[in-house]
Amino acid sequence: MGVKRQKNQWGLAFSAEGRGEAPRAAGEGTETPVAKPQSESPAEAERLMEEVVKRENLEKAYKRVKANRGSPGVDGMTVAALGEHLKEHWPEVREGLLGGTYRPQPVRRVEIPKADGGKRRLGIPTVVDRFIQQAVLQVLQKRLDPTFSEHSYGFRPGRSAHQAVAQAQAYIAAGCGIVVDLDLEKFFDRVNHDVLMGLLAKRVEDQRVLKLIRAYLDAGALEDGLVSPREEGTPQGGPLSPLLSNVVLDVLDRELERRSLRFVRYADDCNVYVRSERAGRRVMEGVKRFIAKRLKLKVNEAKSAVDRPQRRKFLGFSFTSEAAPKRRIAPQAVQRFKERVREVTRRTRKGLEGTIEELTRYLKGWVGYFGYCQTRSVLRELDSWIRRRLRRLAWRYWKRGKTRYRELLRRGVGRELAAQTAGSAKGPWRLAKSPALSLALPNAYLKSLGLPNLSAHCAV
């Protein structure tokens, strides 16, 4: 092809052409969703694909795909094999991208359990397509993200679910005692391709980039050995889907801003805060009509409601009913937490130490998110409940009779109390709260095995 190539630190042969400075995106959001960075000339705007295939951008994309790992797509290629594949095939892939002829492969359709008991349908692109999508995402995100609404928090650099929850809390504290809780029905599966591409074309001028994104939308999915075409939806599982969802839902954000409403949106989870139920009903009906007419989407009637914030959940949190509301863990989230802990502590084959090691991995991630609550008492109760579950597991692991008696003695329990407890007819759950088990397996001992203290991570 006559293209000079340089190898990066991973051994991939990426083109060294077109290594000029990338155009800078505007630093601030604009009032209209179609605004483009002022410093970007028409010529630069039409050459986004050149920036996509720049060596620095590709190196960053490769590193991200490697770090995210993930399952193979329809071709069976693993992330570990990506580097060797690109060494051999990158020149032709690059030529296809720059020439607008690259065609992605179908996604591999998989289903994973949802927290509410349903199934979430994912579309897993091939590793090569994930790599290309990531490279496109990095170029588009720095241009599009500054133009999104300040009320949008999902899938955006420097923004988080905790910030969204804090903003909702501020609205409630300011006197907005009613929430219009909007849930879009199967949003990622129902996004209208024509609507999405029309909105994207107002922001992106490089026709090759638009053509590539449309090809990803139309690639179809492999399921039960057959490739089915896709006429709507952006499959969850690819790097580009979150950004594309924000392109679509930014239209909703602008409409809510136009109506001077107080709202918070995280992906397809949107809450509007008003002062009366009557206002909430009016907002709900108006927004439903707008979403159906403008975005060709539907509001999930079963999961949406006009209610008091204390009776709804937002991103796993709810709020107390005090004048100065506090963040609390939503009951549904507590229930899911307990189900997972029960699952881990139900099995005795790993013993106490092995179980705590497995459980700790889950607890650290969980409290890293839900430790943002302001109700330490709930975390204390969960700490106590977890310790009781572990003492119950140990009791079952020690089996019966003399084994339990010897274990209690070995752990400092007196002979009389050890004999009385070992011979008790009470079940493991009741005995897990007995003085003997508390002496044999004190809190300090469980902590020494690595068990984290949830309440110590509370935000207040």
Side-chain angles (χ1 to χ4, degrees):
M1 295 172 55
V3 176
K4 183 181 178 181
R5 293 181 287 152
Q6 292 183 2
K7 289 188 177 180
N8 68 4
Q9 57 182 310
W10 295 286
L12 276 71
F14 292 144
S15 169
E17 284 189 344
R19 293 176 56 194
E21 287 295 318
R24 294 183 179 273
E28 300 295 335
T30 59
E31 293 184 0
T32 62
V34 298
K36 295 184 177 65
Q38 296 299 313
S39 62
E40 188 176 276
S41 70
E44 290 171 327
E46 293 173 3
R47 291 178 59 82
L48 288 183
M49 191 61 83
E50 277 72 16
E51 189 171 345
V52 169
V53 299
K54 278 184 180 178
R55 187 182 63 181
E56 293 84 355
N57 187 56
L58 295 172
E59 288 175 348
K60 182 179 176 182
Y62 179 81
K63 187 175 181 179
R64 177 60 62 89
V65 170
K66 292 281 285 186
N68 290 343
R69 295 180 291 184
S71 304
V74 295
D75 61 356
M77 184 190 300
T78 64
V79 172
L82 177 61
E84 287 300 319
H85 178 86
L86 291 178
K87 281 183 184 180
E88 182 177 353
H89 297 286
W90 175 246
E92 61 193 75
V93 173
R94 178 181 184 276
E95 183 178 21
L97 292 172
L98 291 175
T101 60
Y102 179 82
R103 290 293 176 267
Q105 296 191 60
V107 298
R108 181 170 63 87
R109 180 70 73 193
V110 297
E111 291 185 343
I112 61 172
K114 292 175 65 176
D116 59 8
K119 295 283 188 180
R120 187 184 306 280
R121 289 164 63 85
L122 299 182
I124 309 300
T126 65
V127 176
V128 173
D129 283 325
R130 291 209 296 272
F131 167 66
I132 295 171
Q133 284 194 37
Q134 181 64 37
V136 173
L137 170 67
Q138 291 164 184
V139 170
L140 289 184
Q141 190 162 56
K142 64 184 178 183
R143 284 164 169 73
L144 302 188
D145 191 79
T147 72
F148 291 149
S149 168
E150 63 179 14
H151 301 281
S152 165
Y153 291 85
F155 309 127
R156 299 186 61 188
R159 290 179 165 244
S160 68
H162 286 171
Q163 292 174 339
V165 172
Q167 182 60 73
Q169 183 181 14
Y171 287 147
I172 299 168
C176 296
I178 296 293
V179 61
V180 182
D181 187 353
L182 293 162
D183 184 276
L184 298 182
E185 187 173 291
K186 297 182 179 179
F187 170 73
F188 285 94
D189 293 332
R190 297 280 174 81
V191 170
N192 184 284
H193 289 180
D194 292 335
V195 170
L196 169 56
M197 292 309 301
L199 293 170
L200 203 57
K202 295 178 181 180
R203 299 170 180 264
V204 177
E205 295 182 9
D206 192 322
Q207 293 300 311
R208 296 165 301 175
V209 173
L210 293 174
K211 188 176 180 181
L212 177 64
I213 292 174
R214 184 79 197 212
Y216 277 120
L217 294 176
D218 294 341
L222 180 66
E223 194 170 12
D224 298 327
L226 297 174
V227 176
S228 56
R230 187 171 60 240
E231 298 178 353
E232 61 181 7
T234 60
Q236 297 181 75
L240 266 176
S241 288
L243 178 65
L244 299 181
S245 72
N246 275 333
V247 170
V248 174
L249 291 177
D250 191 61
V251 177
L252 173 61
D253 297 341
R254 300 305 176 180
E255 176 64 13
L256 297 178
E257 289 175 353
R258 188 186 68 80
R259 299 184 187 192
S260 300
L261 293 170
R262 299 181 178 186
F263 71 98
V264 183
R265 183 177 66 79
Y266 190 97
D268 57 338
D269 217 344
C270 183
N271 279 5
V272 184
Y273 294 88
V274 296
R275 294 182 180 272
S276 70
E277 187 172 344
R278 182 179 178 182
R281 299 288 177 194
R282 186 171 63 250
V283 168
M284 174 67 84
E285 292 306 312
V287 172
K288 281 165 57 177
R289 287 194 299 270
F290 176 83
I291 288 174
K293 182 177 180 179
R294 182 69 180 87
L295 300 179
K296 312 299 183 186
L297 295 169
K298 288 179 63 177
V299 169
N300 188 324
E301 300 283 354
K303 295 184 178 180
S304 301
V306 176
D307 206 344
R308 296 200 171 276
Q310 296 79 20
R311 293 199 286 261
R312 305 298 295 178
K313 66 179 178 69
F314 181 54
L315 303 178
F317 291 91
S318 186
F319 304 94
T320 62
S321 56
E322 304 162 8
K326 293 182 179 179
R327 299 183 297 271
R328 65 185 179 94
I329 306 171
Q332 300 93 322
V334 173
Q335 183 61 33
R336 289 195 296 270
F337 171 82
K338 286 190 170 185
E339 288 172 1
R340 180 59 195 276
V341 172
R342 286 191 186 100
E343 179 186 340
V344 174
T345 57
R346 190 176 289 126
R347 305 184 293 268
T348 59
R349 55 185 172 80
K350 289 188 175 182
L352 185 62
E353 293 185 8
T355 299
I356 288 179
E357 182 180 353
E358 180 182 350
L359 184 62
T360 296
R361 289 194 293 269
Y362 171 68
L363 295 180
K364 285 183 176 179
W366 187 88
V367 78
Y369 182 77
F370 285 105
Y372 191 59
C373 76
Q374 295 173 305
T375 48
R376 193 185 300 273
S377 60
V378 174
L379 295 180
R380 287 199 190 103
E381 290 173 5
L382 291 176
D383 277 328
S384 178
W385 179 79
I386 291 169
R387 291 191 289 264
R388 187 175 177 184
R389 290 286 307 179
L390 290 171
R391 289 174 182 132
R392 171 186 177 275
L393 180 142
W395 189 248
R396 292 178 62 225
Y397 186 71
W398 294 339
K399 298 180 182 177
R400 295 186 177 279
K402 292 182 179 180
T403 301
R404 286 174 171 170
Y405 176 70
R406 285 197 297 267
E407 283 290 345
L408 292 174
L409 288 180
R410 186 171 71 85
R411 295 170 183 275
V413 179
R415 290 181 177 275
E416 184 177 348
L417 181 58
Q420 180 184 351
T421 304
S424 174
K426 295 178 181 178
W429 182 244
R430 292 185 64 185
L431 286 173
K433 205 174 182 180
S434 67
L437 267 294
S438 296
L439 285 170
L441 300 170
N443 295 355
Y445 173 71
L446 297 177
K447 182 180 179 181
S448 72
L449 295 180
L451 183 69
N453 187 337
L454 301 182
S455 61
H457 294 80
C458 187
V460 293

